[in-house]
Amino acid sequence: MWELPARLAEQEEKMCRPGNIFLTGGTGYLGSYILKKLLEYGNEKIYCLVRGGSVRLEESMDYYFGAGYYEKYQHRLHVFDGEMTAEHFRAEPELYEEMRQSVAKVFHCAADVRHYAPEEELLYTNVEGTREVLRFAEASGAAMMYISTVSVAGEQTDRTKETGAVLTEKDLDIGQNWWKNPYVKSKIMAEKLVDDAVRQGLCANIFRIGRLVGNSFNGIFQRNPESNAYYRLIKGIMELGMLPDMLYHHRLEVTPVNQAAEAVVRLSGTTKSAYHICSPHEVEIGSIAEACGPVQRTDAETFGKVLERKSMETDSPYIQALAQTWFAQQSRTADVLLDSQLTQDALAALDFWWPRQDMSKLKQCFTNEEGREDNRCQ
């Protein structure tokens, strides 16, 4: 097992030098929105590593932001087909050298986000991919913007059994059980690689992203919602039609994807720290579920028995996701709390404040799925 430092390396805040941008993961949910913000706020050339090339990126951008969006900014995009884990991404030597000389900032958004995929696949993509991107950042002298996840906080402190353990932006390993989930393991190990590079002189930010939900403007959710844990949980509640009081009142951190991208891009003007990109305005699970349809309130014992029976009768991924959440919660001994004060202060200094959640937008991906194709706009 890797040895992780308790805290991330201290960095003096530095302005990022002007120059072009290299972005991975531009067809992903958050990556698409980060690319949108970069295109609209700047005038740099943006190099995009996309497996499958420009066709996939055009499909993704036009899906989220309307037909013709990609074409509007095509003149500033240099999209190339490659492999994130391969040496020099398998880019043509002339292109790699052009990027090395002109890129001043790297946004590494690409990742395998399957929480329970085979560990070797997650480590290969998320750790070895990050290692190769770091090699490029070091060779070019570019600032690294690494997209991580608040899931690195783990679910409890197995080693310390500390009640009320808190993970701040300056922490890496406080004894949380990061090794139990292969996805979380791969992301915290990638953070360790970034931290190692910082200790060797690289300028970098780590952005730990919260639970992404639909666009706060139009409610549009990601293209493949079934892969989203939040989506599966709420769909499971809707399918079962039942909630115990303790789960009903459980508060969820939910962060609109466009607001998360805005926060990342604003904070990327300098390198200084890790940041927790998550809205402070939590919502009760029951409020979201009831906004989507009728939900019966019951006691925990009845709910557990019904859920256990249902999970044995069906292979519904939504029921299974609900069962996993419920039964895992019963065995927890000490949740890890997330402290985001440093991030909130930094964003406030940039005139950014998280808006309160709009339930009509939060429920849209569950109640208006048939109309998703017709409801897209910027």
Side-chain angles (χ1 to χ4, degrees):
M1 186 180 295
W2 283 29
E3 289 293 327
L4 303 183
R7 292 169 74 82
L8 295 166
E10 294 282 345
Q11 291 187 75
E12 180 183 348
E13 186 170 17
K14 292 183 180 179
M15 292 289 296
C16 295
R17 62 181 172 86
N20 292 332
I21 292 170
F22 173 41
L23 180 138
T24 71
T27 60
Y29 190 34
L30 179 61
S32 295
Y33 278 85
I34 288 177
L35 178 55
K36 178 181 188 284
K37 299 292 183 183
L38 293 172
L39 288 168
E40 293 176 355
Y41 289 169
N43 57 11
E44 309 92 343
K45 177 187 284 190
I46 303 178
Y47 297 91
C48 298
L49 170 60
V50 179
R51 187 182 298 169
S54 60
V55 172
R56 278 192 64 219
L57 186 62
E58 182 174 6
E59 288 175 351
S60 176
M61 299 301 283
D62 286 359
Y63 177 87
Y64 286 120
F65 312 124
Y69 188 87
Y70 175 85
E71 185 178 4
K72 179 180 178 181
Y73 291 100
Q74 188 175 10
H75 64 286
R76 285 184 44 215
L77 294 168
H78 188 127
V79 185
F80 66 101
D81 188 0
E83 175 55 56
M84 184 174 65
T85 55
E87 184 179 7
H88 293 182
F89 317 116
R90 293 207 181 103
E92 293 293 331
E94 297 82 3
L95 173 60
Y96 192 86
E97 182 60 20
E98 176 187 316
M99 292 168 57
R100 191 189 67 79
Q101 292 187 22
S102 69
V103 167
K105 199 180 295 183
V106 177
F107 286 83
H108 182 31
C109 308
D112 186 338
V113 297
R114 299 173 298 161
H115 277 243
Y116 294 96
E119 183 171 308
E120 61 274 14
E121 294 181 16
L122 288 161
L123 293 178
Y124 181 68
T125 299
N126 296 343
V127 179
E128 296 310 313
T130 300
R131 195 189 304 276
E132 189 60 36
V133 175
L134 282 168
R135 286 193 184 108
F136 172 81
E138 290 167 338
S140 61
M144 177 75 157
M145 306 295 158
Y146 175 62
I147 303 302
S148 187
T149 171
V150 295
S151 295
V152 298
E155 294 178 339
Q156 60 189 51
T157 51
D158 262 17
R159 282 182 281 176
T160 62
K161 298 299 181 187
E162 219 176 288
T163 302
V166 176
L167 186 85
T168 73
E169 293 94 337
K170 296 183 178 181
D171 296 319
L172 186 62
D173 187 353
I174 60 170
Q176 73 271 37
N177 59 350
W178 54 264
W179 62 89
K180 286 198 170 182
N181 178 298
Y183 168 69
V184 172
K185 181 178 180 179
S186 72
K187 295 299 283 184
I188 202 168
M189 287 168 67
E191 283 198 18
K192 167 66 162 55
L193 291 182
V194 176
D195 185 60
D196 287 345
V198 167
R199 294 174 191 272
Q200 296 299 317
L202 184 75
C203 296
N205 287 331
I206 294 172
F207 296 102
R208 293 169 177 163
I209 308 298
R211 184 179 287 106
L212 293 178
V213 297
N215 186 325
S216 63
F217 175 66
N218 56 28
I220 296 301
F221 199 45
Q222 68 188 69
R223 296 179 73 179
N224 52 337
E226 297 80 8
S227 67
N228 184 287
Y230 155 76
Y231 178 87
R232 292 197 304 272
L233 172 63
I234 302 301
K235 289 286 283 188
I237 295 169
M238 292 170 65
E239 193 170 319
L240 193 68
M242 179 183 289
L243 261 183
D245 283 338
M246 64 181 296
L247 191 56
Y248 182 99
H249 294 296
H250 182 78
R251 301 186 71 81
L252 278 183
E253 170 272 315
V254 288
T255 301
V257 62
N258 57 317
Q259 296 292 332
E262 177 79 23
V264 167
V265 172
R266 289 207 192 189
L267 289 167
S268 68
T270 63
T271 52
K272 181 182 180 181
S273 178
Y275 295 102
H276 293 166
I277 307 299
C278 47
S279 170
H281 305 301
E282 297 178 334
V283 294
E284 290 187 342
I285 289 179
S287 299
I288 302 173
E290 285 191 336
C292 299
V295 176
Q296 177 187 346
R297 302 270 290 273
T298 187
D299 61 89
E301 183 179 359
T302 301
F303 176 80
K305 289 179 179 178
V306 172
L307 180 58
E308 184 176 18
R309 184 176 69 250
K310 186 75 171 179
S311 66
M312 295 174 67
E313 294 172 350
T314 178
D315 59 357
S316 164
Y318 309 127
I319 293 295
Q320 300 304 323
L322 177 58
Q324 183 180 47
T325 299
W326 172 252
F327 293 116
Q329 191 177 63
Q330 304 313 296
S331 63
R332 288 187 196 172
T333 57
D335 283 345
V336 178
L337 304 177
L338 203 69
D339 186 329
S340 303
Q341 193 59 55
L342 185 155
T343 305
Q344 305 305 331
D345 291 346
L347 286 170
L350 296 169
D351 293 326
F352 177 94
W353 291 270
W354 296 98
R356 294 201 172 272
Q357 308 296 347
D358 182 339
M359 196 62 67
S360 68
K361 300 297 188 298
L362 282 178
K363 72 175 186 178
Q364 185 170 314
C365 67
F366 305 106
T367 60
N368 193 33
E369 293 172 298
E370 295 302 317
R372 291 180 83 239
E373 291 287 338
D374 301 324
N375 224 9
R376 283 171 270 147
C377 59
Q378 290 185 34

